[in-house]
Amino acid sequence: MITLGNADARRVFLDRHALLDAPSGAPNGSALLDLITRLGFVQLDSINTVARAHDLTLFARRSRYRPEHLRRLYDRGGALFEHWTHDASVIPLDFFPWWRLRMQRDADKLVRQWRNWRRDGFEGQMQSVLDHIRDHGPCGSSDVGQDEKKGSGGWWDWHPSKTALEYLWRSGALAVVRRDGFRKVYDLTERVIEDARRNEVPEASETTDWCCNAALDRLGFATPGEIAKFWDHLTPAEAKAWATAALKRGEIAEICITQADGKPRKTLARPDIATDAALERTAPARLRVLSPFDPALRDRARARRLFGFDYTIEVFVPEAKRRYGYYVFPLMQGDRLVGRVDMKAHRDADKLHVRALWPEPRVSWGKGRHAAFEAELDRIRRLAGVEHVTWGQDWLRSD
């Protein structure tokens, strides 16, 4: 059985996530679409502590990237569509047919779930929502259900017509054509997705095969459970059945990787993994700030096994119980995760403020690493649109 040492496993994984490359190159147009296709999707998130998560994900790989570059691809650009993976994401439009199974499954699942979620009356609003969009064009949730009562349970407590919009989007009748601020604008899918893509509905077995192959190619190596979680379309049982058949056909092989703690872990990879080109490459020495939702960190357990990096986002943790902070950014240098930083862009004061930084255990924070960090902060503050970087007292912390 092939065994990859920890350093080799990290190289393969980072290569698949476009982090073994220097963060240079064209940040827009077809080059940006190629990057998103390579990643598979980019998760969207509304929190704008420094920059939105999707912008940070792309910026970490293309340092000249700016948010308008993604908007040009996304807003009726014919290159991307928005739908669900493990969360709302932008996805290459070429992948749209492979989302038909997800839409079919969501059509059944969400009706049951959302009835139990007390979305009272949303099913009765579906036709009126569709009629409104057909007659008046693209709309947001504030354009429908204006006479409906919104609950008091927080931002997720939608009125029935908002729930109907979300259901019709998740099940395929509507498409999101753009975001105004961060609010979705919906239109009829038939007016957004060209007929050839919209009418292509692969068999479930074809979708399973595509999802598993595409996930493995973007992970480098993975268990059936990790393959299933990548797109979040399939059940673990479906991914396991695919893996069993693919092993028999010789399309994949069982290998062993060495985890950060030195323990072996059995997993699956392509049979030629031992000669993978990534094994001969060296990660760039540049220090990079990563989004908490970066695809390389989305699977927290995998990041812990591979990098020894234990990360939990503490947005929903009460302030008194937080270990680090509300929205703390991982720091990558070379093929290691070297620390985490709590910082925020105060645009009214035209500054990026660093409250605290925690180097990882056994990582020294000397002059060279700090200079690399300051250089990255200068790039980040330009992305955030502020002029200055300021530092809190006692900003360098130990865990």
Side-chain angles (χ1 to χ4, degrees), residues 75-95:
D75 294 0
R76 283 195 179 275
L80 300 169
F81 73 103
E82 180 177 337
H83 212 268
W84 211 256
T85 54
H86 60 290
D87 211 321
S89 303
V90 287
I91 305 155
L93 192 59
D94 285 345
F95 294 177

Side-chain angles (χ1 to χ4, degrees), residues 162-325:
K162 162 64 174 172
T163 309
L165 280 170
E166 287 288 304
Y167 175 83
L168 291 165
W169 166 56
R170 293 281 296 273
S171 58
L174 297 180
V176 176
V177 294
R178 67 179 186 275
R179 294 265 188 158
D180 287 345
F182 205 71
R183 296 178 180 176
K184 299 187 190 79
V185 177
Y186 308 82
D187 199 357
L188 301 176
T189 301
E190 64 199 53
R191 297 200 294 222
V192 178
I193 308 296
E194 62 185 22
D195 291 349
R197 284 195 179 96
R198 194 181 74 256
N199 295 331
E200 183 181 350
V201 185
E203 296 292 330
S205 59
E206 295 176 291
T207 299
T208 297
D209 190 60
W210 182 89
C211 284
C212 291
N213 277 302
L216 183 60
D217 288 340
R218 286 166 174 81
L219 291 169
F221 48 85
T223 65
E226 290 167 339
I227 289 170
K229 284 197 298 185
F230 184 83
W231 306 105
D232 203 27
H233 283 14
L234 307 176
T235 66
E238 287 171 322
K240 186 174 182 180
W242 172 85
T244 299
L247 279 166
K248 289 180 179 178
R249 294 191 297 266
E251 296 170 0
I252 61 176
E254 288 186 333
I255 71 164
C256 186
I257 63 161
T258 305
Q259 302 179 115
D261 62 3
K263 295 179 181 178
R265 177 177 169 83
K266 288 185 178 179
T267 186
L268 303 170
R270 299 298 181 190
D272 60 353
I273 190 70
T275 58
D276 195 280
L279 300 176
E280 302 300 320
R281 300 179 62 197
T282 301
R286 176 166 157 176
L287 190 146
R288 291 186 251 196
V289 170
L290 300 185
S291 162
F293 299 106
D294 193 281
L297 298 171
R298 178 174 64 86
D299 187 335
R300 309 296 194 210
R302 188 180 179 99
R304 186 167 55 250
R305 289 193 297 266
L306 198 55
F307 297 96
F309 189 72
D310 192 2
Y311 181 82
T312 301
I313 191 165
E314 296 182 295
V315 168
F316 300 111
V317 177
E319 184 172 2
K321 295 183 178 181
R322 288 176 191 151
R323 185 177 178 184
Y324 297 106

Side-chain angles (χ1 to χ4, degrees), residues 25-100:
N28 55 1
S30 61
L32 184 61
L33 178 60
D34 287 346
L35 173 61
I36 296 170
T37 302
R38 179 177 175 183
L39 297 174
F41 61 89
V42 174
Q43 181 181 338
L44 301 170
D45 191 73
S46 62
I47 297 174
N48 197 10
T49 303
V50 171
R52 299 198 194 278
H54 42 284
D55 293 322
L56 276 172
T57 293
L58 296 170
F59 177 80
R61 293 155 174 84
R62 297 286 188 275
S63 57
R64 292 191 289 121
Y65 167 84
R66 293 296 182 267
E68 59 267 22
H69 296 146
L70 180 61
R71 285 197 294 270
R72 288 174 194 154
L73 284 181
Y74 179 35
D75 294 0
R76 283 195 179 275
L80 300 169
F81 73 103
E82 180 177 337
H83 212 268
W84 211 256
T85 54
H86 60 290
D87 211 321
S89 303
V90 287
I91 305 155
L93 192 59
D94 285 345
F95 294 177
F96 184 83
W98 307 112
W99 258 251
R100 301 298 287 184

